Amino acid sequence: ARRYFRWIQQDDYLPPGRASWSFARMAPWAIAYVPTGCLASLHGCRVHVDYHGCIADQWPQRLMWVQNLDLNEYGEANNIVILYPQAKGDSRTGAGCWNWGFPKDDTLFDTKMSAQLLTVMNMLDELPRTLELAQELPFGEGPPSSRAPAVVRGRSGSTGSKEVSFA
């Protein structure tokens, strides 16, 4: 597997505020692994989204997760982009946890219209362009400095199931 990750600013893909949610509880950055066969063009590449379990809000632990699952190697061998969206969680949902049960934060938490799932759907909708613009850093390095890479804002309000292929 390549020894680089792409860093995507997740905040750019949050859906517009709604009465249904007050806190998205997303970390500022998502991580993407782009295999060698997909670097020149995403044409013919597929995408796998990995939803991490509850994990500390410290980047060294998150990077250990991303680097040691062997998903990157599988993606490299099969031309599959691996997207690692990052939930932040809190003391109520659990540190680093996705909101799978807290309607006070998002009344639609268990639907495809939840703030967290819409954020991921929005990233997928814009993924080819986003990956072109995302900052690439070597394995082991945390998120980019405060100088953010340019990214395209995701469309809001995506709905429906997603099977993404860039054929």
Side-chain angles (χ1 to χ4, degrees):
R2 297 180 63 244
R3 303 295 299 167
Y4 292 90
F5 290 123
R6 302 268 175 110
W7 291 85
I8 301 165
Q9 282 190 295
Q10 292 186 133
D11 293 350
D12 287 343
Y13 299 94
L14 284 170
R18 296 187 187 152
S20 66
W21 66 277
S22 54
F23 301 103
R25 309 246 189 264
M26 298 290 287
W29 299 96
I31 302 168
Y33 176 79
V34 181
T36 306
C38 301
L39 288 173
S41 169
L42 291 176
H43 182 77
C45 296
R46 294 172 289 158
V47 176
H48 172 81
V49 178
D50 177 68
Y51 291 97
H52 59 74
C54 295
I55 190 167
D57 271 343
Q58 298 163 354
W59 284 108
Q61 289 164 316
R62 288 174 182 254
L63 285 171
M64 190 180 334
W65 173 271
V66 167
Q67 292 173 19
N68 293 314
L69 281 179
D70 292 334
L71 283 177
N72 303 325
E73 287 74 12
Y74 186 78
E76 184 68 30
N78 294 285
N79 285 340
I80 301 172
V81 173
I82 311 294
L83 178 63
Y84 299 96
Q86 300 293 309
K88 186 175 181 179
D90 64 7
S91 60
R92 189 170 61 212
T93 61
C97 294
W98 292 93
N99 184 0
W100 302 122
F102 298 91
K104 281 189 175 182
D105 290 345
D106 186 347
T107 58
L108 301 173
F109 75 92
D110 59 348
T111 74
K112 61 187 173 189
M113 298 303 293
S114 73
Q116 288 182 335
L117 293 181
L118 278 176
T119 300
V120 175
M121 299 277 283
N122 289 341
M123 280 192 279
L124 289 171
D125 284 346
E126 301 292 336
L127 195 60
R129 180 86 172 125
T130 299
L131 290 176
E132 282 179 31
L133 300 173
Q135 189 169 351
E136 187 170 82
L137 293 173
F139 274 16
E141 290 192 24
S145 67
S146 60
R147 188 177 155 218
V151 294
V152 175
R153 288 204 176 271
R155 291 187 300 265
S156 62
S158 297
T159 61
S161 62
K162 241 343 142 210
E163 181 173 316
V164 180
S165 181
F166 302 106

